[in-house]
Amino acid sequence: MTAIHLVLQGKGGVGKSLIAALLAQYLAGRSDKLFCADTDPVNDTFSRYEAFQVRKLELLTKSQQINTREFDGLVESILQHDGNAVIDNGASTFLPLSAYMVENETVQFLNANGKKVVLHTVLTGGQSFDDTTQGLLALLANQDAPVVVWENEFFGPVEKDGRRFRDSKLYDQNKSRIRGIVTIDRRNEDTFGKDIEMLVSNKLTFDQAMESPLFSIMPRQRLKIVKKSIFDQLDTLAI
């Protein structure tokens, strides 16, 4: 059974498109049959990665409702595609898309047709911790699919009152639904931080960075470390 990886979070600016790009690189390294789509009406970050040939979709109408024909077409494309898919969704479409998926029993329909749905969401540290936690709670409450939680430490340690997510009551109550946790570690801002910023701002994959004149020897080495850290964690999830 191939998988549909949906990146969903109601809070904007927390790294959803980065996670979609990381997932796409990981999955593309294991199969050349990868379908990618960007449904974010505000920030088309994922669609600007030329390496993935991302299909850009307008899922919202002028009245801020789900464009049912576009979404229906996306589902049909996923069903016709012989391989995995990565779908990046914007914060503004989080609620209407989630509601549409519930109303149309989209997860159950895709599962019944040989497409396993895996949801990916982001938790961040700092001021957005509570907002991203609410997004996770909404997914757990409304969508019947396994969830991968990505801890993005860019804004600081992903914790509440000194407790990490995996040590929280929220995790304990929902661990049967949580497929796993992937941590994007916060590293030295003057070295790793600048290298990742250069990678992301130029919409390059790790492999492209190894060939790019933008990166010298040591930045490439640091990017290899980051790639290995993320990909090793994804390996443990068997996605």
Side-chain angles (χ1 to χ4, degrees):
M1 182 180 289
T2 55
I4 312 303
H5 298 273
L6 283 165
V7 184
L8 299 163
Q9 174 54 257
K11 177 66 176 175
V14 294
K16 292 186 299 295
S17 296
L18 171 61
I19 288 167
L22 292 171
L23 274 171
Q25 291 176 70
Y26 177 81
L27 294 168
R30 284 147 181 78
S31 172
D32 58 356
K33 296 180 179 180
L34 182 64
F35 176 89
C36 294
D38 189 343
T39 68
D40 191 334
V42 178
N43 298 306
D44 60 345
T45 305
F46 187 43
S47 65
R48 286 186 275 139
Y49 280 86
E50 295 182 358
F52 308 134
Q53 299 181 339
V54 181
R55 178 176 169 183
K56 176 66 176 174
L57 298 175
E58 297 294 339
L59 283 192
L60 280 186
T61 65
K62 292 182 179 179
S63 59
Q64 299 302 298
Q65 300 297 315
I66 283 292
N67 185 329
T68 56
R69 295 303 179 191
E70 279 288 287
F71 190 74
D72 289 348
L74 173 61
V75 173
E76 290 180 13
S77 296
I78 289 171
L79 290 175
Q80 294 169 3
H81 178 71
D82 182 24
N84 296 314
V86 176
I87 315 297
D88 184 24
N89 181 62
S92 61
T93 55
F94 177 74
L95 290 178
L97 178 58
S98 296
Y100 184 83
M101 289 174 64
V102 171
E103 180 183 23
N104 290 275
E105 300 181 358
T106 306
V107 170
Q108 296 87 339
F109 174 73
L110 288 170
N111 287 341
N113 284 273
K115 301 289 186 179
K116 183 174 180 61
V117 177
V118 181
L119 307 178
H120 297 257
T121 195
V122 194
L123 289 183
T124 66
Q127 296 180 344
S128 296
F129 180 85
D130 289 338
D131 289 337
T132 53
T133 298
Q134 289 303 311
L136 169 59
L137 284 169
L139 287 181
L140 292 170
N142 298 318
Q143 303 296 335
D144 185 19
V147 177
V148 175
V149 175
W150 290 70
E151 295 180 323
N152 184 0
E153 294 188 338
F154 179 81
F155 302 100
V158 184
E159 58 187 34
K160 184 75 169 181
D161 299 326
R163 300 180 66 182
R164 302 288 300 194
F165 172 65
R166 67 177 69 252
D167 300 317
S168 69
K169 185 177 180 180
L170 173 59
Y171 174 77
D172 189 59
Q173 292 175 337
N174 296 279
K175 57 186 176 183
S176 63
R177 293 280 314 284
I178 297 172
R179 182 72 168 268
I181 302 170
V182 178
T183 301
I184 303 176
D185 296 313
R186 187 175 190 179
R187 302 175 185 270
N188 188 306
E189 294 182 7
D190 291 331
T191 53
F192 286 90
K194 290 182 178 179
D195 298 334
I196 292 296
E197 183 180 356
M198 179 73 74
L199 183 81
V200 172
S201 63
N202 286 279
K203 304 300 178 289
L204 298 176
T205 66
F206 288 115
D207 289 346
Q208 287 174 329
M210 296 302 109
E211 305 296 329
S212 171
L214 293 173
F215 299 93
S216 56
I217 293 175
M218 289 312 298
R220 291 178 185 178
Q221 167 61 12
R222 288 190 288 268
L223 290 178
K224 287 179 181 178
I225 293 171
V226 174
K227 176 183 177 180
K228 185 177 187 304
S229 173
I230 298 297
F231 284 21
D232 283 353
Q233 293 179 75
L234 290 172
D235 281 342
T236 66
L237 304 183
I239 63 172

